[in-house]
Amino acid sequence: MKNPFLTYAIVAAAAFALGHLSNPEKVTPGDVKVFTRIDTVKVVQPEIVVLRPLRQAIERLPLAADTADTVEVKVPVTQAVYETPDFKAYVSGYRPVLDSIFVYGRRTEIVRPQLPRAKRFSVGIQAGYGFTPRGFQPYVGIGLSVRLIEW
């Protein structure tokens, strides 16, 4: 070969490219994933926990379906409290009934991947130009590498 420096430069560039391409893929901080989950709780005909009278209202009710006669009747107005660990509902009125209730609990989870810790020291095959017992010469062998800059 006419120019050994060019040969060594090509070998060094090839070794660098091989080492750079052999690293496993890194997870970047931009890979954060956000999940929104909706928990649905369906309660059909829940049991009344508290039933308390509020007042009495006077209502005009018909005596019969086919007559126009009415009578004033005292109607109790109550408040019912329906409660579970997932919800609490207050219903007021004459004979209050809660047929069903749906409670949607929204939960957001943020998942951040763990970045692999970069190895600072490594042992591997090296090629280049170095100081040997005979002076500066081309060098091929096994050596210890220290990573100074992370790409």
Side-chain angles (χ1 to χ4, degrees), residues 26-43:
K26 296 178 184 175
V27 179
T28 61
D31 292 340
V32 175
K33 296 178 183 174
V34 177
F35 298 101
T36 301
R37 294 194 173 142
I38 299 175
D39 297 331
T40 303
V41 178
K42 180 179 179 181
V43 179

Side-chain angles (χ1 to χ4, degrees), residues 7-135:
T7 304
Y8 298 130
I10 291 172
V11 170
F16 175 78
L18 182 65
H20 188 68
L21 294 175
S22 67
N23 282 344
E25 288 188 26
K26 296 178 184 175
V27 179
T28 61
D31 292 340
V32 175
K33 296 178 183 174
V34 177
F35 298 101
T36 301
R37 294 194 173 142
I38 299 175
D39 297 331
T40 303
V41 178
K42 180 179 179 181
V43 179
V44 179
Q45 289 288 346
E47 294 186 22
I48 297 174
V49 176
V50 177
L51 182 63
R52 61 179 83 111
L54 295 179
R55 65 185 192 297
Q56 288 192 347
I58 298 177
E59 295 288 326
R60 289 186 172 261
L61 301 175
L63 285 175
D66 57 346
T67 63
D69 292 335
T70 60
V71 65
E72 290 184 358
V73 178
K74 290 183 180 180
V75 178
V77 177
T78 58
Q79 180 184 55
V81 179
Y82 298 89
E83 186 174 9
T84 69
D86 300 319
F87 72 91
K88 187 173 189 177
Y90 297 90
V91 181
S92 299
Y94 175 67
R95 290 188 184 171
V97 175
L98 179 62
D99 293 330
S100 64
I101 186 168
F102 295 87
V103 179
Y104 300 101
R106 193 169 293 265
R107 193 169 46 146
T108 302
E109 295 179 14
I110 299 174
V111 178
R112 291 187 179 98
Q114 295 291 332
L115 297 176
R117 187 171 181 175
K119 296 178 184 176
R120 185 171 176 141
F121 296 98
S122 63
V123 176
I125 298 174
Q126 296 179 340
Y129 200 75
F131 185 72
T132 65
R134 297 186 208 157

